[in-house]
Amino acid sequence: MERFTKLTSTAIPLPLENIDTDQIIPARFLKAIDKKGFGENLFKDWRFHSDGTANDQFILNNPNYTGSILIAGRNFGCGSSREHAAWALKGYGFKVIISSFFADIFKENALNNGILPLVVIDENLHNLFKAVEENITTKFQIDLEQQLLKQVDSELAIKFEVDAYKKTCLLNGQDDVDFLASIKNEIEQFEQNRIAV
Amino acid sequence: MRKTLFDKIWDQHVVKNLPGGRQVIYIDHHFIHEVTSPQAFAELKERNLPVFRKEQITATADHNVPTKNQHLPIEEPMSRKQVTTLTENCNEHNITLYGLGHEKQGIVHVIGPELGITQPGMTIVCGDSHTSTHGAFGNISFGIGTSQVAQVFASQCLILQKPKKMRININGKINPMVTSKDIILFLLSKLGVGGGTGFFIEYAGEAIESLGMEARMTICNMSIEMGAKGGLIAPNETTFNYLKGKPNAPSDSKWEDAVEKWKQLYSDEDALFDQEYYFNADEIPVMITYGTNPGMAFEVNEKIPSAADSKALNYMGLKPNEQLIGKKIQHVFIGSCTNARLEDLKIVANFIKGKQKAPGVQALIVPGSQNVANQIKQEGLIPIFEDAGFELREAGCSACLGMNEDKIPAGEYCVSTSNRNFEGRQGPGSRTFLASPLTAAAAAIYGEIVDVRNI
């Protein structure tokens, strides 16, 4: 897995709540058998009209907004378990998603793909939206080791929580398969003990 | 300490505690399908790892299969490739596959229970969020991503943070014409689509206990729509009676022992939950959704709230204070892992018997499995569907997620027995009203949304 340590970037705000994974990547694009190319279809039906032309109203089509941080409303990634949503966000270039809470499966999928789902309280989420609204070139600095999100050239600094195990995984670029394969003997022992009961 | 049902099962599956609070949890059964497994098999290959416990995996093709002419090769090249890849992977790793054409093929959450693979006390996962369905049998079942599918392939384990525990108690007697779909839509309208996030839900109370297994599955199925990790119901005689004699259920000599063990699966009297809700069944009416998530639901005869989400109403072509009763619809979809089992289709058949669907309405019935398709044949329901002008298809997920060609055209309305009314879920621009099989059947006959209590 790709490592995640630090990132400095501008951010793209998407202040909608309950963004489900069907919006992130519609089901008709789930037919591939590899992880490539999903970025092209990220938010497909919000980015494009049914005739294929770009929807100018949608923020990802506004060239003034760039960056590898997505700031979204609460309950981001709800609905389907499709990891294709994480692959699409990653493929498009997002490395950090900030929200006030994430749907459970999406959060795990993001972490398993080196994307940091960064949880802030509602008030801070509001402040981040406001900062970008006031100046779209606002940059944010994220330091996973320190668990710190800072607005560059500003006082705003937010300490964030992250699962200790997943933090280590992200910092070292190691994943659960590596770890689970390393404790195979213990898993076999568990199976033996269960049979004995 | 007194334990909840969830604790009892979870604690029996802890292989190892990790620093920081995560635990290695053993998975008893792993269901896979064509859409979320190919990248996981590729992952194994890249790392040169074998499948650790192939006998604890069951595969089927359901999400991306046509519901017509399943005996012929799949026409759409990418879908064909995805389904073929599943077959190749299962052959290579010697995994049991109930593929297209197999008598046991069907929606993964329909076949697990009907084959008796799904049993009380287990841990069950699948790369599909509606894996929560299986919890109806009193087990811990939940959906996972593809990376986790690879983890289970490699080790039969997952590294998890234990969720918090919620109990939803529904006491009293269920109102006439109210089905388990109405119950879960009611709960969604109360708790919202994020109300269960971080929790595993136990459904309890006499109203829940009175439900048959298929109705229980409908409730557990939509636990994920509240954001919950999963939902479960303590097993009782109804559960045991359902499982008895199923192909994969414990055989004669082991049956009594299994039931004895399963009878221990309940929440202790003073077990502590992190959150608890109480409802009375008589406050639960016939429900329908009006918006673009399953929490935007209300009593079928209500007016759309004036404070309803304007983006959702815009998408749906609806206005505040508008009533859905009398709203013309063009499609009815009876199917999905939520409501495509025999009981659901019997409800539909009973209602439409001797009636005709309204002109201009396409009414699609997609059985949850080949087995369900055979059951409706044996029960003599097929002529009822045909005489009423309903179109009966072959088993699969179909228009629930619009991955195959079964899509609702842009701008048109569909009353659907499925689980999600998200924008574009049933096809780009499709507009979905989620409801029970009874309300869906009535909509097909009248060509509009009706209150089944007034018929």
Side-chain angles (χ1 to χ4, degrees):
Chain A
M1 193 179 75
E2 229 172 280
R3 282 175 181 220
F4 184 97
T5 51
K6 281 181 186 171
L7 175 78
T8 303
S9 169
T10 47
I12 302 180
L14 199 51
L16 294 170
E17 295 184 353
N18 306 317
I19 294 175
D20 59 79
T21 52
D22 273 81
Q23 307 316 312
I24 300 172
I25 182 91
R28 62 189 189 277
F29 301 114
L30 307 184
K31 295 181 181 181
I33 55 168
D34 57 26
K35 299 180 185 177
K36 296 183 206 111
F38 290 105
E40 286 167 35
N41 296 316
L42 177 72
F43 292 118
K44 184 75 172 193
D45 296 333
W46 286 356
R47 272 164 71 199
F48 300 96
H49 297 298
S50 52
D51 62 4
T53 57
N55 172 11
D56 298 336
Q57 303 300 308
F58 188 59
I59 198 145
L60 293 189
N61 292 329
N62 183 336
N64 295 324
Y65 287 93
T66 57
S68 47
I69 301 170
L70 181 71
I71 311 175
R74 71 206 313 264
N75 200 21
F76 185 82
C78 59
S80 157
S81 65
R82 59 188 71 167
E83 195 161 316
H84 312 68
W87 302 332
L89 287 158
K90 191 180 178 183
Y92 191 85
F94 288 113
K95 294 189 166 71
V96 175
I97 321 288
I98 303 175
S99 183
S100 56
F101 84 81
F102 290 91
D104 197 59
I105 309 175
F106 173 81
K107 190 176 181 181
E108 205 72 8
N109 288 344
L111 288 164
N112 284 333
N113 285 278
I115 299 172
L116 177 66
L118 197 160
V119 181
V120 296
I121 59 169
D122 281 318
E123 186 192 341
N124 283 331
L125 188 68
H126 175 79
N127 290 336
L128 293 171
F129 279 132
K130 208 170 140 207
V132 182
E133 193 186 312
E134 283 167 4
N135 179 3
I136 56 174
T137 64
T138 303
K139 279 192 173 166
F140 299 95
Q141 200 174 53
I142 291 148
D143 184 332
L144 178 58
E145 177 66 56
Q146 302 293 320
Q147 296 179 219
L148 202 62
L149 160 67
K150 274 161 78 175
Q151 184 180 330
V152 176
D153 302 326
S154 143
E155 299 285 294
L156 185 68
I158 301 164
K159 187 94 180 151
F160 61 87
E161 293 299 318
V162 61
D163 180 282
Y165 166 77
K166 282 296 181 187
K167 178 181 174 181
T168 312
C169 289
L170 285 173
L171 288 173
N172 300 323
Q174 79 195 38
D175 63 27
D176 295 14
V177 177
D178 298 334
F179 179 80
L180 289 166
S182 77
I183 60 159
K184 208 170 144 188
N185 290 342
E186 289 174 72
I187 296 168
E188 280 169 342
Q189 189 58 53
F190 174 86
E191 291 177 321
Q192 289 304 318
N193 293 346
R194 283 183 94 197
I195 294 164
V197 175
Chain B
M1 206 184 83
R2 295 287 169 168
K3 282 183 164 187
T4 68
L5 167 59
F6 176 81
D7 289 322
K8 287 181 183 176
I9 303 170
W10 180 276
D11 293 351
Q12 282 171 8
H13 290 84
V14 178
V15 175
K16 191 181 169 76
N17 292 304
L18 302 183
R22 286 217 177 201
Q23 293 172 305
V24 177
I25 298 296
Y26 191 80
I27 302 303
D28 293 319
H29 206 86
H30 187 192
F31 290 100
I32 62 169
H33 62 84
E34 73 279 22
V35 179
T36 59
S37 68
Q39 294 87 349
F41 279 113
E43 189 95 39
L44 278 196
K45 196 165 267 180
E46 270 167 38
R47 296 170 194 243
N48 210 10
L49 287 169
V51 170
F52 185 61
R53 292 287 177 254
K54 59 180 188 331
E55 63 282 3
Q56 285 164 249
I57 307 172
T58 306
T60 193
D62 57 0
H63 281 65
N64 191 11
V65 301
T67 54
K68 272 186 197 170
N69 296 321
Q70 289 186 347
H71 60 289
L72 299 176
I74 299 173
E75 275 178 31
E76 209 276 317
M78 283 186 84
S79 302
R80 188 170 64 238
K81 174 81 179 156
Q82 200 171 49
V83 173
T84 313
T85 301
L86 177 70
T87 308
E88 288 166 2
N89 282 326
C90 289
N91 288 342
E92 185 183 337
H93 296 279
N94 219 351
I95 292 167
T96 303
L97 167 68
Y98 301 132
L100 273 195
H102 195 287
E103 58 178 11
K104 293 179 177 174
Q105 179 268 344
I107 304 176
V108 62
H109 313 307
V110 176
I111 68 168
E114 72 186 10
L115 293 174
I117 298 171
T118 302
Q119 294 170 21
M122 286 180 139
T123 48
I124 296 173
V125 295
C126 174
D128 186 277
S129 61
H130 291 110
T131 308
S132 57
T133 313
H134 305 260
F137 291 79
N139 55 46
I140 297 180
S141 297
F142 52 93
I144 55 176
T146 296
S147 294
Q148 293 175 307
V149 172
Q151 291 158 24
V152 182
F153 279 160
S155 69
Q156 206 58 35
C157 286
L158 287 169
I159 301 171
L160 302 169
Q161 185 72 47
K162 190 175 184 177
K164 291 182 282 184
K165 289 148 292 181
M166 178 190 289
R167 181 160 61 185
I168 299 177
N169 303 279
I170 308 177
N171 285 306
K173 209 166 160 279
I174 299 164
N175 289 324
M177 313 302 259
V178 169
T179 70
S180 66
K181 179 63 160 287
D182 300 295
I183 296 175
I184 190 65
L185 287 175
F186 172 82
L187 294 176
L188 269 153
S189 75
K190 295 289 176 195
L191 273 73
V193 288
T197 305
F199 290 92
F200 211 98
I201 302 173
E202 178 177 346
Y203 302 96
E206 50 183 316
I208 297 292
E209 287 162 26
S210 75
L211 295 172
M213 288 318 296
E214 304 198 341
R216 293 183 196 188
M217 285 188 247
T218 302
I219 291 182
C220 289
N221 171 277
M222 289 185 75
S223 303
I224 182 67
E225 311 311 335
M226 294 189 271
K229 182 105 184 149
L232 82 175
I233 295 171
N236 62 5
E237 287 301 324
T238 308
T239 321
F240 311 144
N241 290 338
Y242 177 98
L243 282 172
K244 197 167 176 139
K246 291 278 188 287
N248 291 62
S251 54
D252 299 344
S253 59
K254 292 180 181 158
W255 176 256
E256 295 300 330
D257 289 348
V259 172
E260 271 322 296
K261 230 169 70 189
W262 295 341
K263 283 183 175 168
Q264 309 307 311
L265 296 172
Y266 53 85
S267 287
D268 293 331
E269 206 159 296
D270 40 8
L272 273 182
F273 289 83
D274 298 284
Q275 185 135 28
E276 204 150 6
Y277 291 96
Y278 294 87
F279 297 100
N280 202 303
D282 65 15
E283 61 183 302
I284 305 178
V286 173
M287 300 285 294
I288 194 162
T289 64
Y290 60 86
T292 54
N293 75 45
M296 296 179 185
F298 60 12
E299 184 170 357
V300 67
N301 58 10
E302 270 181 79
K303 284 182 178 159
I304 292 173
S306 46
D309 182 273
S310 59
K311 185 176 188 291
L313 293 192
N314 246 341
Y315 181 85
M316 291 296 292
L318 299 170
K319 291 185 187 71
N321 301 315
E322 189 179 342
Q323 239 196 347
L324 290 187
I325 299 288
K327 184 86 190 164
K328 299 279 176 214
I329 53 105
Q330 294 77 41
H331 302 266
V332 167
F333 173 64
I334 292 163
S336 87
C337 56
T338 312
N339 280 125
R341 286 170 282 264
L342 180 63
E343 288 305 316
D344 302 312
L345 303 189
K346 272 188 181 170
I347 289 174
V348 173
N350 279 339
F351 185 85
I352 67 174
K353 193 172 186 175
K355 301 189 181 86
Q356 269 292 312
K357 74 167 177 72
V361 171
Q362 189 202 27
L364 206 60
I365 298 183
V366 184
S369 67
Q370 298 284 353
N371 187 42
V372 172
N374 285 333
Q375 285 173 321
I376 59 173
K377 198 172 171 184
Q378 282 163 16
E379 299 259 342
L381 306 187
I382 292 176
I384 299 176
F385 296 140
E386 282 174 352
D387 292 348
F390 282 52
E391 197 178 334
L392 183 63
R393 295 284 186 87
E394 293 168 280
C397 300
S398 180
C400 171
L401 83 164
M403 234 190 125
N404 69 357
E405 36 295 293
D406 306 340
K407 292 183 176 70
I408 308 304
E412 297 191 7
Y413 290 105
C414 177
V415 178
S416 178
T417 68
S418 57
N419 40 58
R420 287 181 178 140
N421 50 349
F422 297 152
E423 286 183 24
R425 170 78 178 182
Q426 298 196 282
S430 60
R431 292 163 164 173
T432 305
F433 298 115
L434 299 176
S436 72
L438 185 58
T439 296
I445 300 300
Y446 290 88
E448 57 187 42
I449 294 171
V450 293
D451 187 339
V452 288
R453 295 167 298 191
N454 296 339
I455 295 167

